[in-house]
């Protein structure tokens, strides 16, 4: 890429031979050469949509061949048989994660197997790599890449304009691409293998959203933004002669070549003052339509117009449904489409109309007259040419209950792409900031009826995942997401009914649950404070995330930061962004500032000891043993940035993912950390159910092992690793969130930045059981067992598997130690230790007792509980079945309710029908 030859061609094209030498990128798997692999099947946790879809592209030569591009989540192809979107760029890895930003996409009408994508996430320093041009000859199943000598910005301002990439409809080996950042117009004559700058093109664009932006995001010249060929000016096998190009320049927004790209000129008489977001050519009637706006979008735009250019006469006609001169025009125009079956039928959309909703217009006479999809009647009432059916994705209400004239769900926002199917006049689709919507009865509008608009995003998962938890009871997964808050996922394969409410967060930044009382959840997040000045940035749940409520918050908090629940749910620790760390006893009714820990620390709780919390900031680890009231610095010299997790069932065991600083582990509550030598880098770490026969949990890692980056699992506390993803399943920018499932061995939940939540299950044979835990398990592990998948939220006979009669225990040969680890309003945590003093092992057991004060068990680990009134029966879990001879022990723990007055211990216990001594 850097050693490129430069020469000047006769046609005025500076040939920069950016060839794909040795840069073939196949999406098929290749040998990893790293840790041994454990085969997995990966799927998306179903949400459907969740992000901005700036481009929907129909192939003009083959029916039902449709692509969608996203700004951070890659590209998709619609599978006509299942009507689901198929992801095409999951092979993109951590080193080239920017390829999941798709600036533009083109599908070949001459050879429909061919598809091209211009990729790159940011034009500023946020993306370390240059952009690339991808090409495929099998509809995106596999790809090859040509690196470009400049960056591309799939997630930059102006990303809804286009399409920047276009294929010559007469000679499909020729492609043009409009580049950002002043890089001009580029051309390929060999089907995308190499690209050259068109030096004869006179204008690289000049529109910059905000030249003073300090981080460089808004300072980019948005450049050359669309290319359109006039197919009538060429013949099959010969280059099209007339080409129109749109430029982000308010005074010179359209250029034309009439000699196959050799020379270019500003199109005479064109409108000024606005940027042409779209340029769509009706080759039947010979009209070029423009949709213009005063900004590049996609979030803003306050004025605009729609224009019609007669290519035969050079006449311009303003056909704006509401012209920019009108005070009723408070928006720019963008989404623009032609019904190819009826070319006089055109549609256009507001680029963005936040209030009261987006507006679409439809004309059946080439723009002479328009009808709009909704209209005012008597304010605040409106009439509608549509009805919404979001039963497929009911969360699209966004948890709102707006006052008229606003409604929920909305038609959408950021409507840069609106497309009528070229083979079916009744089908259209449009992209929004949250999903793809569309209709299959579009022409009903023309007959005066209401069309039905539905979500059309199955298979397209575009959420950015900020945190994930998998509690040992209740819903298997709870998610914290950017832009759409998050969900309680009772089923991984079903779209959830609603996002978090009470309050609604735009983005949930942090999630936690009480390890020993997992019905208690807490989340922190962001929203626009001016919209809801009385809402808190922290919310709580006592029913596993089904319902939420908010407490108060200290003054000055504007963003969620990180938050943690004590192991028993009795208190919470919160580190709001750019505000002091605070703690609350109870559910946030009042907060007290913690001492000894800096702002913006990452906070977590110990998973066993309710009084212990941890914090991390800039290479120093902090510990509190008094419920977050005060912290003391513990280990220092750690990586400068990191994420960490504490282990369930193991007081003081902490794993820290330190990026290039590697993976570190503490078994003494953060006093010191030892580097896990088998992992060279670590972006995120999480835990899941232990492998059969193991006491230590499975450890999941996004990182690098044996020189290969990927997703890994260790069943022996980091002594060895298995790679569980492959080169087909890399998902670009991952590492913000990963966790295992405490109830399903091997299951992993992986958060991506733009490809949603991925979950994976093992497909290989069950690993052989080990009689003992890995020798690398820390001896400092507490006696409390890890929470087991046998935890039951409601003791009932159906929760207990059938089992053979328990063997008898000789009289006086058993002992029981019953203890209360902690109690709080209405509940307490208990633990029971059974000792077998007989010379024979007990293989299967039942322990019974009677409560004196009406205590009732609600949750249990290490056993299965049945309770009838005061009488309690606990039978063993699979992994606590055997009690060794001559002093062997097993333990189980539980959460129970009490009357806040007396919590006396049971006086007597029987094991398999035999009375035991009590201590």
């Amino acid at each position: 890429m850097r050693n490129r030859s430069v020469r000047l061609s006769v046609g005025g094209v500076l040939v920069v031979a950016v060839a794909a030498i040795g840069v073939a990128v196949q999406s098929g798997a290749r040998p990893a050469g790293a840790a041994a692999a454990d085969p997995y099947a990966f799927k998306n946790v179903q949400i459907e949509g969740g992000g901005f879809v700036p481009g929907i592209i129909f192939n003009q030569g083959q029916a039902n061949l449709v692509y969608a591009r996203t700004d951070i989540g890659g590209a998709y192809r619609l599978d006509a048989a299942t009507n689901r979107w198929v992801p095409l760029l999951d092979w993109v890895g951590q080193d080239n994660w920017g390829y999941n930003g798709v600036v533009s996409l083109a599908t070949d009408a001459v050879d429909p197997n061919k598809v091209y994508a211009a990729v790159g996430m940011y034009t500023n320093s946020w993306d370390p790599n240059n952009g690339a041009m991808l090409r495929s000859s099998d509809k995106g199943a596999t790809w090859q890449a040509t690196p470009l000598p400049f960056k591309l910005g799939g997630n930059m301002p102006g990303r809804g304009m286009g399409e920047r990439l276009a294929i010559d409809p007469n000679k499909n080996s020729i492609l043009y691409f409009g580049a950002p950042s002043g890089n001009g117009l580029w051309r390929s004559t060999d089907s995308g293998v190499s690209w050259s700058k068109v030096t004869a093109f006179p204008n690289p664009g000049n529109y910059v959203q905000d030249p003073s932006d300090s981080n460089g995001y808004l300072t980019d010249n948005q450049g050359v933004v669309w290319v359109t060929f006039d197919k009538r000016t060429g013949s099959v096998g010969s280059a099209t002669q007339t080409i129109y190009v749109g430029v982000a320049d308010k005074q010179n927004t359209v250029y034309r070549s009439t000699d196959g790209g050799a020379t270019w000129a500003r199109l005479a008489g064109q409108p000024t003052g606005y940027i042409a977001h779209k340029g769509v050519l009706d080759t039947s009637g010979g009209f070029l339509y423009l949709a213009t706006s005063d900004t590049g979008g996609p979030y803003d735009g306050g004025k605009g117009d729609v224009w019609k250019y007669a290519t035969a006469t050079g006449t311009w006609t303003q056909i704006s449904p509401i012209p920019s001169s009108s005070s009723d025009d408070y928006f720019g125009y963008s989404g623009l489409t032609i019904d190819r079956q009826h070319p006089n039928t055109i549609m256009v959309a507001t680029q963005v109309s936040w209030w009261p909703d987006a507006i679409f217009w439809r004309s059946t006479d080439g723009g002479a007259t328009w009808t709009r999809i909704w209209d005012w009647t008597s304010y605040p009432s409106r009439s509608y040419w549509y009805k919404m059916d979001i039963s497929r994705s009911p969360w699209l209400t966004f948890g709102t209950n707006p006052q008229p004239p606003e409604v929920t769900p909305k038609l959408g926002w950021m409507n840069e792409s609106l497309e009528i199917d070229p083979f079916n006049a009744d089908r259209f689709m449009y992209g929004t900031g949250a999903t793809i919507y569309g209709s299959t009865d579009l022409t009903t509008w023309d007959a005066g009826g209401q069309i039905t608009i539905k979500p059309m995003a199955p298979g397209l998962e575009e959420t950015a995942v900020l945190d994930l938890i998998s509690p040992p009871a209740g819903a298997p997964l709870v998610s914290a997401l950017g832009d759409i808050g998050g969900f309680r996922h009772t089923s991984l394969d079903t779209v959830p009914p609603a996002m978090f409410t009470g309050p609604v967060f735009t983005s949930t930044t942090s999630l936690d649950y009480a390890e020993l009382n997992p019905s208690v959840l807490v989340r922190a997040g962001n929203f626009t404070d001016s919209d809801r000045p009385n809402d808190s940035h922290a919310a709580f749940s006592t029913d596993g995330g089904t319902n939420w409520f908010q407490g108060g918050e200290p003054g000055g908090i504007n963003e969620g930061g990180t938050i943690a629940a004590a192991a028993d749910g009795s208190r919470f620790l919160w580190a709001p962004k750019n505000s002091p760390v605070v703690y609350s006893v109870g559910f946030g009714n009042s907060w007290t500032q913690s001492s000894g820990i800096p702002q913006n620390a990452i906070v977590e709780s110990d998973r066993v000891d309710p009084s212990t919390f941890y914090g991390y900031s800039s290479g120093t680890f902090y510990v509190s043993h008094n419920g977050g009231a005060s912290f003391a610095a513990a280990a220092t010299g750690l990586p400068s940035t990191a994420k960490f997790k504490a282990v369930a069932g193991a007081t003081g065991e902490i794993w820290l993912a330190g990026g290039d600083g590697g993976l570190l582990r503490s078994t003494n509550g953060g006093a010191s950390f030892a580097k896990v030598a088998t992992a060279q880098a670590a972006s995120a770490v999480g835990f899941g159910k232990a492998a059969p026969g193991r006491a230590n949990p499975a450890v999941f890692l996004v990182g690098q092992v044996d020189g290969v980056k990927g997703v890994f699992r260790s069943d022996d506390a980091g002594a060895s690793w298995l790679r569980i993803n492959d080169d087909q399943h890399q998902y670009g920018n991952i590492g913000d969130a990963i966790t295992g499932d405490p109830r399903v061995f091997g299951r992993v939940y992986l958060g991506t930045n733009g490809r949603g939540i991925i979950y994976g299950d093992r497909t290989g044979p069950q690993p052989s059981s080990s009689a003992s835990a890995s020798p690398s398990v820390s001896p400092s592990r507490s006696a409390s067992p890890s929470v087991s998948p046998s935890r039951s939220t409601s003791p009932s006979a159906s929760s207990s598997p059938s089992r053979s009669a328990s063997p008898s225990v000789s009289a006086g040969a058993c002992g029981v130690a019953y203890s209360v680890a902690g109690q709080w309003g209405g509940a307490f945590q208990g633990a029971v230790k059974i000792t077998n003093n007989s010379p024979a092992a007990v293989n299967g057991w039942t322990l019974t007792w009677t409560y004196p004060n009406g205590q009732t068990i609600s949750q249990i680990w290490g056993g299965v509980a049945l309770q009838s009134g005061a009488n309690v029966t606990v039978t063993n879990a699979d992994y606590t079945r055997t009690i060794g001879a001559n002093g062997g022990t097993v333990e189980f723990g539980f959460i129970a309710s009490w009357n806040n007055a007396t919590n006396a211990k049971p006086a007597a216990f029987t094991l398999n029908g035999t009375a035991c001594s009590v201590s």
Side-chain angles (χ1 to χ4, degrees):
M1 183 178 67
R2 296 183 182 275
N3 298 321
R4 56 185 183 269
S5 61
V6 181
R7 64 183 176 86
L8 201 58
S9 76
V10 176
V13 177
L14 176 64
V15 179
V16 183
V18 189
I21 34 177
V23 197
V25 180
Q26 299 294 335
S27 62
R30 56 177 170 78
D38 193 14
Y40 266 65
F42 288 99
K43 298 171 64 177
N44 268 105
V45 176
Q46 292 299 294
I47 296 172
E48 295 190 3
F52 180 36
V53 181
I56 300 167
I57 303 96
F58 282 83
N59 188 283
Q60 299 294 312
Q62 179 174 308
N64 295 316
L65 180 56
V66 194
Y67 292 87
R69 63 178 175 94
T70 71
D71 49 6
I72 63 172
Y76 293 81
R77 183 188 68 248
L78 187 64
D79 180 74
T82 63
N83 215 29
R84 294 184 63 85
W85 296 95
V86 178
L88 303 178
L89 300 182
D90 285 353
W91 53 268
V92 171
Q94 296 176 62
D95 288 334
N96 58 354
W97 56 266
Y99 285 13
N100 269 335
V102 184
V103 178
S104 188
L105 187 145
T107 171
D108 192 339
V110 177
D111 182 355
N113 287 319
K114 291 184 177 181
V115 60
Y116 302 84
V119 297
M121 194 77 73
Y122 300 103
T123 59
N124 63 358
S125 61
W126 298 349
D127 188 341
N129 299 318
N130 283 345
M133 198 66 66
L134 306 182
R135 64 189 187 277
S136 172
S137 297
D138 51 17
K139 297 180 180 176
T142 61
W143 298 85
Q144 292 180 299
T146 297
L148 295 171
F150 48 82
K151 294 185 177 186
L152 297 181
N155 199 33
M156 293 293 289
R159 58 192 179 274
M161 295 190 284
E163 291 292 317
R164 295 174 181 260
L165 182 61
I167 305 166
D168 189 322
N170 289 302
K171 189 174 183 179
N172 65 337
S173 60
I174 297 174
L175 294 89
Y176 280 82
F177 174 67
S181 311
N183 289 302
L185 182 67
W186 287 66
R187 182 171 69 183
S188 172
T189 59
D190 55 8
S191 299
V193 176
S194 62
W195 289 82
S196 307
K197 187 173 184 179
V198 182
T199 55
F201 190 77
N203 188 351
N206 61 15
Y207 176 75
V208 174
Q209 182 171 338
D210 182 2
S212 64
D213 181 32
S214 59
N215 63 29
Y217 182 66
L218 304 178
T219 61
D220 189 46
N221 173 1
Q222 295 181 18
V224 181
V225 297
W226 54 263
V227 179
T228 296
F229 289 90
D230 187 344
K231 186 178 179 179
R232 300 170 301 171
T233 62
S235 57
V236 175
S238 298
T240 299
Q241 295 300 294
T242 299
I243 311 164
Y244 297 89
V245 173
V247 179
D249 177 345
K250 292 184 179 182
Q251 301 307 310
N252 310 280
T253 196
V254 185
Y255 287 79
R256 180 175 63 183
S257 174
T258 57
D259 53 12
T263 61
W264 298 83
R266 179 186 185 275
L267 196 58
Q270 66 181 264
T272 59
Y274 300 104
I275 300 168
H277 277 223
K278 305 288 179 182
V280 180
L281 188 67
D282 165 22
T283 54
S284 175
F287 298 105
L288 174 70
Y289 292 95
L290 302 183
T292 72
S293 176
D294 58 350
T295 74
Y299 307 107
D300 54 0
K303 286 286 184 180
D305 279 305
V306 184
W307 289 88
K308 180 178 184 179
Y309 174 73
T311 60
T313 64
T315 303
W316 288 93
T317 305
Q318 187 187 78
I319 58 170
S320 307
I322 300 176
S324 60
S325 57
S326 169
S327 60
D328 290 333
D329 179 39
Y330 55 91
F331 42 76
Y333 294 93
S334 188
L336 175 66
T337 187
I338 294 175
D339 182 347
R340 299 292 175 179
Q341 304 296 308
H342 310 91
N344 273 334
T345 296
I346 59 177
M347 291 178 68
V348 70
T350 50
Q351 173 195 316
V352 62
S353 171
W354 296 105
W355 185 94
D357 206 346
I359 313 171
F360 303 152
W361 288 269
R362 183 170 170 88
S363 172
T364 57
D365 54 14
T369 60
W370 298 88
T371 56
R372 57 188 275 171
I373 201 163
W374 61 263
D375 217 329
W376 298 107
T377 53
S378 177
Y379 185 86
S381 298
R382 292 187 283 155
S383 60
Y384 303 91
W385 293 102
Y386 74 95
K387 55 187 175 182
M388 299 285 286
D389 176 4
I390 61 164
S391 56
R392 181 175 190 98
S393 303
W395 60 266
L396 285 165
T397 63
F398 276 73
T400 60
N401 185 26
Q403 295 298 309
E406 291 188 280
V407 297
T408 189
K410 286 194 170 188
L411 275 169
W413 50 91
M414 299 158 62
N415 307 117
E416 299 268 29
S417 184
L418 184 151
E419 304 293 335
I420 298 174
D421 185 337
F423 296 92
N424 181 355
D426 268 318
R427 180 165 78 155
F428 88 116
M429 298 181 187
Y430 66 94
T432 75
T435 191
I436 294 175
Y437 278 122
S439 173
T440 55
D441 59 355
L442 181 57
T443 59
T444 302
W445 183 344
D446 303 330
Q450 284 186 320
I451 66 173
T452 299
I453 294 177
K454 299 180 179 183
M456 291 187 172
L460 193 151
E461 299 286 344
E462 202 192 345
T463 48
V465 185
L466 304 181
D467 203 358
L468 296 170
I469 57 173
S470 181
L477 181 69
V478 185
S479 61
L481 305 177
D483 297 331
I484 61 170
F487 299 94
R488 178 179 185 263
H489 305 269
T490 56
S491 168
L492 305 179
D493 300 320
T494 303
V495 176
M499 62 176 64
F500 298 144
T501 58
V504 173
F505 295 158
T506 303
S507 295
T508 299
T509 57
S510 181
L511 273 173
D512 197 15
Y513 66 94
E515 189 69 49
L516 305 179
N517 189 12
S519 60
V520 173
L521 272 65
V522 65
R523 58 185 168 95
N526 303 337
F527 53 84
T528 302
D529 291 67
S530 59
D531 290 345
R532 291 184 274 128
N534 297 319
D535 279 357
S536 172
H537 293 78
F540 307 88
S541 174
T542 57
D543 58 8
T546 302
N547 298 285
W548 294 86
F549 59 93
Q550 61 181 350
E553 68 178 19
I557 292 177
N558 297 308
E559 296 188 51
T562 59
I563 200 163
D568 61 2
S570 60
R571 61 175 60 211
F572 302 89
L573 182 71
W574 187 15
K577 187 174 180 180
N578 298 329
S579 294
V581 177
V582 291
Y583 69 96
S584 175
V585 178
F587 296 101
N589 292 325
S590 63
W591 296 90
T592 303
Q593 185 170 332
S594 304
S595 63
I597 184 170
Q599 291 186 19
N600 298 316
I602 297 170
V603 297
E604 296 277 356
S605 65
D606 189 85
R607 311 312 287 179
V608 177
D609 183 354
S611 63
T612 298
F613 286 90
Y614 305 112
Y616 170 86
S617 178
S618 302
T620 298
F621 201 79
Y622 297 86
V623 181
S624 171
H625 292 297
N626 57 5
S630 62
F631 283 79
T636 59
L638 301 173
S640 59
T641 59
K643 302 181 183 75
F644 70 93
K645 293 275 185 72
V647 177
T651 301
E653 182 173 348
I654 304 139
W655 292 63
L656 185 144
D660 290 339
L663 180 65
L664 298 92
R665 181 188 184 200
S666 174
T667 57
N668 56 12
S672 62
F673 283 81
K675 195 167 185 179
V676 179
T678 51
Q680 295 89 54
S683 300
V685 64
F687 310 102
K689 183 179 180 181
R694 297 271 184 189
N696 53 277
V699 183
F700 293 94
L701 172 71
V702 176
Q704 181 172 311
V705 174
D706 293 340
V708 171
K709 293 180 179 179
V711 185
F712 301 88
R713 190 189 79 240
S714 175
D715 298 329
D716 53 14
S720 63
W721 297 91
L722 297 166
R723 190 184 185 202
I724 62 175
N725 74 321
D726 55 46
D727 287 356
Q728 287 180 303
H729 303 92
Q730 299 194 77
Y731 306 112
N733 193 358
I734 57 177
D736 277 343
I738 190 171
T739 187
D741 190 313
R743 290 173 273 189
V744 182
F745 168 64
R747 177 169 290 175
V748 63
Y749 302 104
L750 177 65
T752 75
N753 185 30
R755 266 289 286 121
I757 308 167
I758 306 295
Y759 79 97
D761 284 320
R762 301 180 64 256
T763 58
Q766 189 79 348
S768 59
S769 299
S770 172
S772 61
S774 164
S776 61
V777 173
S778 165
S780 66
R781 184 180 296 271
S782 78
S784 301
S786 60
V787 177
S788 161
S790 62
R791 180 188 293 256
S792 173
T793 56
S794 58
S796 65
S798 62
S799 66
S800 174
S802 60
R803 56 179 76 239
S804 59
S806 302
S808 62
V809 179
S810 57
C814 60
V816 173
Y818 178 101
S819 61
V820 174
Q823 58 191 28
W824 55 97
F828 70 94
Q829 178 189 343
V832 176
K833 180 179 180 180
I834 307 172
T835 302
N836 175 24
N837 295 315
S838 70
V842 175
N843 186 23
W845 50 265
T846 298
L847 185 73
T848 62
W849 71 84
T850 300
Y851 269 127
N853 305 117
Q855 299 95 325
T856 302
I857 292 177
S858 58
Q859 298 165 354
I860 189 168
W861 53 97
V864 178
L866 300 172
Q867 185 165 355
S868 177
N871 299 317
V872 178
T873 300
V874 176
T875 53
N876 61 270
D878 290 341
Y879 64 93
T880 59
R881 180 180 182 84
T882 301
I883 313 176
N886 300 316
T889 63
V890 296
E891 298 181 50
F892 61 88
F894 58 89
I895 301 293
S897 61
W898 69 302
N899 58 17
N900 282 324
T902 304
N903 191 11
K905 297 180 180 180
F909 296 84
T910 61
L911 181 69
N912 292 354
T914 299
C916 300
S917 62
V918 180
S919 59

